[in-house]
Amino acid sequence: MRMAVLTGGGDCPGLNAVIRAVVLTGHQVHGDDVIGFLDGWRGVVDGRSVPLDPERCRDILALGGTILGTSRTNPFAEQEGVDRVLATLGDQGVDAVVAIGGDDTLGVASRLGPLGVRVVGVPKTIDNDLSGTEVTFGFDTAVQITVEAIDRLRTTAESHHRVMVCEVMGRHVGWIATYGGIAGGAAEILVPERPFDLAVVCERLVRRHQRGQYSSIVVVSEGATPTEGPDADSARAATAPRSVDAFGHGRLGGIGGWLAEEIERRTGFESRVTTLGHIQRGGTPTAFDRVLATRFGVAAVAAVHDCEFATMVALQAGEIVRVPLETAVGRPKTLDLSLLDEVALPFLG
Ligand code: F6P
């Protein structure tokens, strides 16, 4: 069997661990020939691939990023994009594709299935917002980085008696903010799933101060917004996306800076912002993510050999399962708000 693997969308710690698992399992267990398309669906559209063998995968388990490169390419948004995908797969004799990606990359995979492309998906995203799986690899690493940052912010916040706003990734969902905030002992956790009332946030910070807690950590997802009204208008103006990608997503960022300024203006407490940004996506994956990525890679090759296409491997109740691709894409897995209401709430404010 000639199997192709690709990595699409934002990069994520653990991608190389999946590639390694796919290549080694394919070669050593099934005798497969494996190639890698470069830069996600871009490489398939353009017909750019490289051979992959165990030697090429040596020492990549702990390496961040992706040796194949990635992009946010949507063949369905390009003229002749899909025809070129089909032509490349035919020309290069590809029997099956393992697509490693998030909602956008796997959304493309799902739409290619009915056109005859035999594809198995592997769920990736630091945001942890893909449906069908309890966890995506990369999330654990991003949370770990967030917590390490909060721990550092805390000591300087305490020294200066400041409010430290920490902006984390999470376009539509607050998983990183919530896990990072709980583990880092944040005073406030603000997420996209629940617009925040800034007046209430400021009141709670003032009460903390009155109780003798002169510093506070506020964790905010990049996609969080104030409740509708003048604050929402003001935040929107300050955070307007600077560009939009091929899937229609605006480039987010800036809510943390807006928040720090507003908190300082309303409470009088000196405030600073730290935006973790792509630091959360770079570097070596945690042991949890290496293991999960490896399990996903092995399982994806098994699904290919069982001819269970149009599926995505997923983690459910500790077990690796296969779910239909179409059920995993198109609707983000939003935060379980009980985490905020039951687990985080007693420690907030
Ligand atoms: O991959 C998801 C994500 O990390 C989001 O959290 C974030 O909004 C986006 O990617 C950033 O994308 P880019 O790397 O294109 O700036």
Side-chain angles (χ1 to χ4, degrees):
M1 153 124 30
R2 188 163 163 85
M3 195 162 53
V5 58
L6 64 86
T7 54
D11 74 338
C12 172
L15 284 168
N16 286 323
V18 182
I19 295 169
R20 171 180 173 270
V22 168
V23 173
L24 266 61
T25 310
H27 265 259
Q28 278 152 217
V29 179
H30 301 281
D32 292 331
D33 187 18
V34 186
I35 63 167
F37 281 112
L38 300 174
D39 304 329
W41 291 114
R42 181 82 267 141
V44 194
V45 172
D46 296 344
R48 289 184 295 117
S49 64
V50 290
L52 289 174
D53 58 21
E55 183 55 32
R56 177 65 188 91
C57 295
R58 187 192 295 245
D59 294 335
I60 67 168
L61 174 63
L63 187 66
T66 160
I67 60 166
L68 293 175
T70 185
S71 70
R72 297 190 188 278
T73 300
N74 180 2
F76 287 93
E78 294 183 20
Q79 210 169 10
E80 294 177 10
V82 174
D83 290 343
R84 291 172 67 183
V85 164
L86 299 178
T88 297
L89 296 176
D91 291 348
Q92 301 206 9
V94 172
D95 298 305
V97 178
V98 174
I100 312 169
D103 195 60
D104 296 332
T105 302
L106 299 187
V108 170
S110 175
R111 292 176 70 184
L112 287 172
L115 303 178
V117 178
R118 295 161 27 123
V119 58
V120 170
V122 176
K124 162 249 58 155
T125 163
I126 64 163
D127 288 2
N128 195 33
D129 63 350
L130 207 51
S131 296
T133 185
E134 283 164 8
V135 193
T136 49
F137 69 88
F139 171 63
D140 185 69
T141 307
V143 170
Q144 186 60 35
I145 292 166
T146 302
V147 173
E148 283 166 17
I150 293 174
D151 289 348
R152 289 173 187 277
L153 290 173
R154 179 177 305 288
T155 60
T156 171
E158 281 173 2
S159 306
H160 289 267
H161 317 300
R162 283 175 174 161
V163 174
M164 286 292 192
V165 177
C166 180
E167 181 182 312
V168 299
M169 281 190 172
R171 204 183 252 152
H172 310 293
V173 299
W175 290 102
I176 297 177
T178 303
Y179 270 63
I182 291 172
E188 295 288 335
I189 300 173
L190 309 176
V191 299
E193 290 88 341
R194 179 174 286 166
F196 59 89
D197 183 337
L198 187 53
V200 172
V201 170
C202 288
E203 257 169 50
R204 281 198 299 245
L205 292 174
V206 169
R207 277 207 301 273
R208 257 175 86 75
H209 209 86
Q210 288 163 348
R211 287 199 308 267
Q213 289 174 287
Y214 300 122
S215 67
S216 303
I217 304 287
V218 175
V219 182
V220 60
S221 304
E222 60 183 354
T225 52
T227 42
E228 272 314 316
D231 282 343
D233 295 339
S234 159
R236 252 193 299 273
T239 61
R242 295 175 290 290
S243 58
V244 174
D245 70 17
F247 293 92
H249 305 301
R251 182 138 62 94
L252 297 184
I255 187 69
W258 178 85
L259 204 52
E261 273 184 27
E262 286 300 314
I263 289 172
E264 181 165 309
R265 193 170 66 79
R266 296 181 196 200
T267 63
F269 303 152
E270 210 184 347
S271 304
R272 294 287 189 273
V273 61
T274 297
T275 302
L276 294 187
H278 294 80
I279 288 173
Q280 292 155 103
R281 290 219 317 243
T284 190
T286 58
F288 177 88
D289 278 335
R290 294 182 206 187
V291 173
L292 183 60
T294 301
R295 291 177 78 190
F296 278 160
V298 170
V301 174
V304 164
H305 281 274
D306 288 345
C307 290
E308 283 226 26
F309 298 112
T311 59
M312 180 185 84
V313 295
L315 186 75
Q316 288 180 6
E319 302 292 328
I320 304 290
V321 298
R322 297 167 190 170
V323 299
L325 250 183
E326 62 183 5
T327 64
V329 298
R331 49 200 170 91
K333 181 185 67 188
T334 52
L335 181 68
D336 172 2
L337 285 170
S338 71
L339 269 175
L340 271 185
D341 293 338
E342 290 160 28
V343 183
L345 194 67
F347 307 100
L348 297 180

